[in-house]
Amino acid sequence: MKIFSFPVRVYYEDTDAGGVVYHARYLHFFERARTEYLRGLNFSQQTLLHERNIAFVVKSMQIDYCLPAKLDDLLRVDTDVTEVKGATILFTQLLRRENVILCKATVKVACVDLGKMKPTAIPVEIKSAFRIH
């Protein structure tokens, strides 16, 4: 599996009064990177919602804030898929300023059937795409 890198710029709206990124904004950065990773594999979450009635939802997350990101920083989120099971994907994500790690997260995402609101198998073509890339 290949690591996917996604650039992020820190805007004023991401920060507190001191120009430091608010802790919850890191979750936004990680979410965008996972979405773009999927899009880069030619899977649109919108299409999955409308055509298959499935969505990916965060089941659990472990996050470690190492160093603060600040206003106007140009950052990079590196996303790696470390495990794919029947209905879950485990991501490891690192937020970096150049090569310095600012934040680390391990995110377990579940594939959910929206009609039943229960976990469902990840489509085979998505599983295959994660293993190839």
Side-chain angles (χ1 to χ4, degrees):
M1 291 175 239
K2 182 181 171 191
I3 294 175
F4 175 78
S5 292
F6 179 70
V8 174
R9 174 73 69 185
V10 176
Y11 296 107
Y12 185 75
E13 68 187 21
D14 300 318
T15 64
D16 61 18
V20 175
V21 172
Y22 180 65
H23 74 278
R25 296 305 266 180
Y26 292 86
L27 305 180
H28 293 242
F29 301 155
F30 289 141
E31 176 73 28
R32 288 180 203 153
R34 291 191 310 275
T35 298
E36 292 303 325
Y37 190 170
L38 200 58
R39 189 186 319 275
L41 296 174
N42 295 316
F43 298 104
S44 159
Q45 292 199 52
Q46 190 77 348
T47 301
L48 293 172
L49 284 168
H50 293 299
E51 293 180 4
R52 296 191 186 202
N53 204 37
I54 62 171
F56 289 102
V57 299
V58 173
K59 181 180 183 331
S60 64
M61 177 181 278
Q62 181 178 15
I63 192 163
D64 184 13
Y65 300 98
C66 304
L67 293 167
K70 298 180 181 175
L71 181 62
D72 288 332
D73 279 353
L74 180 57
L75 308 173
R76 179 179 85 235
V77 179
D78 291 334
T79 303
D80 190 17
V81 173
T82 53
E83 184 178 83
V84 179
K85 289 190 174 182
T88 61
I89 304 168
L90 189 64
F91 292 93
T92 299
Q93 295 187 277
L94 302 173
L95 182 70
R96 301 175 189 264
R97 183 189 312 111
E98 296 177 4
N99 288 323
V100 176
I101 296 171
L102 305 181
C103 188
K104 305 177 211 178
T106 302
V107 185
K108 183 179 270 188
V109 174
C111 184
V112 175
D113 177 320
L114 293 175
K116 299 175 184 172
M117 291 308 289
K118 293 193 176 195
T120 189
I122 298 166
V124 174
E125 60 273 21
I126 294 176
K127 280 185 178 180
S128 296
F130 279 128
R131 289 191 180 107
I132 292 169
H133 292 84

